Amino acid sequence: QKTAYEILSGLVGSEMCIRDRNRSRMSNNFALITGASSGIGLEIAKCLAKKKYNVILTARSEKKLIQFSSEISQNYGVKSDYIKCDLSEKDAPKILYDFCESNGYQIDILINNAGYALPDLFHVTPMEDEEKFLRVLSTSVIALTKIFLPKMIESGKGNIMIVSSVAAYAPPSSIQSLYGPVKTFMNRFNESLNAVYNKHKIFSTALCPGYTVTNFHTASGVQNEMDSVPSFLKKSAKRIAKEGVEGMLNNKKVVVPTKTWKVIVCLLKIVPKKAFDFLSSVLVPGRYE
């Protein structure tokens, strides 16, 4: 007959084995973040890693991906991998999916963050540039969501984040003609995903920040317009990421970070256009003229 000590040791040993198996089973569950080499995307990756989620970073700059992937792994004790990929290319979503499949990575969280803006007037911008822009901000978001959804349904869980913008609620701007309309479309796509897939325990979150201090505006050629914005309207990428991740993990459908921008979005829904035109001419001159 086994002694009480032997029985207890056996139970503890069995429990440890179960925990080890669970850890092993969970070890290949990842969050995939696009546009993760800087700004909001990088801060989202750090925020998730801090919460002990494994992460896969993807962007166009391999040098930055190598650096930040290594730093995240070392600083937060999680698995971090990367793949260089340009979402303006049609085959990019499949390349990302095949990379995850070949490495046995299960994507439980999909962060559609990659984006930029076109600085020139609509009639001046070449159609090829417009198509690449639309592919990064919308078509790739749809394709990545479509390609990773089946396994989320199979596993019975999943979170999707679409990094949208307060521009989705504002009247069209005189610069970046397609940016606001595309973000409006992405918000509606987000609504559609929730309407269909919440029953499968899959939740989509539209993160809608206002002006955020990143290299986005410099890279998009509109830094002068950003410089003219009052400082109280500019928020840090770290804060945007933190509120976005918290909202996503609580299955919120829309997250407008910071009280400042929550108030502004509410006003955008009720303020007459003439009043909006006056306020925008004071706060963001040139953007809506």
Side-chain angles (χ1 to χ4, degrees), residues 190-207:
N190 175 70
E191 292 174 10
S192 175
L193 289 174
N194 283 310
V196 178
Y197 296 105
N198 282 177
K199 64 184 178 183
H200 296 286
K201 306 301 180 184
I202 298 167
F203 300 89
S204 184
T205 301
L207 175 60

Side-chain angles (χ1 to χ4, degrees), residues 257-268:
T258 77
K259 292 179 180 178
T260 301
W261 284 103
K262 283 182 173 68
V263 171
I264 290 173
V265 167
C266 287
L267 291 175
L268 285 170

Side-chain angles (χ1 to χ4, degrees), residues 49-95:
K50 189 176 181 180
K51 294 179 180 293
K52 298 304 177 184
Y53 288 92
N54 300 322
V55 296
I56 301 168
L57 314 181
T58 183
R60 293 182 299 174
S61 173
E62 187 170 27
K63 184 177 180 180
K64 290 182 179 179
L65 290 173
I66 293 171
Q67 175 190 342
F68 294 132
S69 179
S70 176
E71 288 179 2
I72 286 173
S73 183
Q74 291 175 11
N75 293 340
Y76 301 104
V78 298
K79 288 186 178 181
S80 179
D81 205 346
Y82 70 90
I83 172 174
K84 178 184 176 181
C85 194
D86 185 350
L87 288 172
S88 69
E89 297 176 359
K90 187 175 180 181
D91 293 335
K94 187 175 186 306
I95 290 171

Side-chain angles (χ1 to χ4, degrees), residues 218-261:
T218 300
S220 300
V222 290
Q223 187 59 48
N224 289 337
E225 286 78 4
M226 180 62 169
D227 291 341
S228 69
V229 174
S231 59
F232 79 93
L233 291 177
K234 301 175 185 177
K235 309 300 178 182
S236 71
K238 186 175 182 179
R239 182 174 178 183
I240 300 304
K242 183 177 184 296
E243 293 193 29
V245 168
E246 292 291 346
M248 177 191 69
L249 295 178
N250 284 304
N251 300 331
K252 286 190 176 181
K253 296 180 179 180
V254 178
V255 175
V256 179
T258 77
K259 292 179 180 178
T260 301
W261 284 103

Side-chain angles (χ1 to χ4, degrees), residues 5 9 40 82 101 150 196 227:
Y5 175 79
S9 297
I40 295 174
Y82 70 90
E101 284 291 288
V196 178
D227 291 341

Side-chain angles (χ1 to χ4, degrees), residues 203-219:
F203 300 89
S204 184
T205 301
L207 175 60
C208 300
Y211 294 110
T212 308
V213 181
T214 67
N215 67 349
F216 173 91
H217 299 88
T218 300

Side-chain angles (χ1 to χ4, degrees), residues 2 31-32 37 108 117 126 157 233 242 251 260 263 279 289:
K2 292 184 178 180
L32 173 63
S37 62
D108 288 339
K157 63 178 179 178
L233 291 177
K242 183 177 184 296
N251 300 331
T260 301
V263 171
L279 289 171
E289 297 173 2

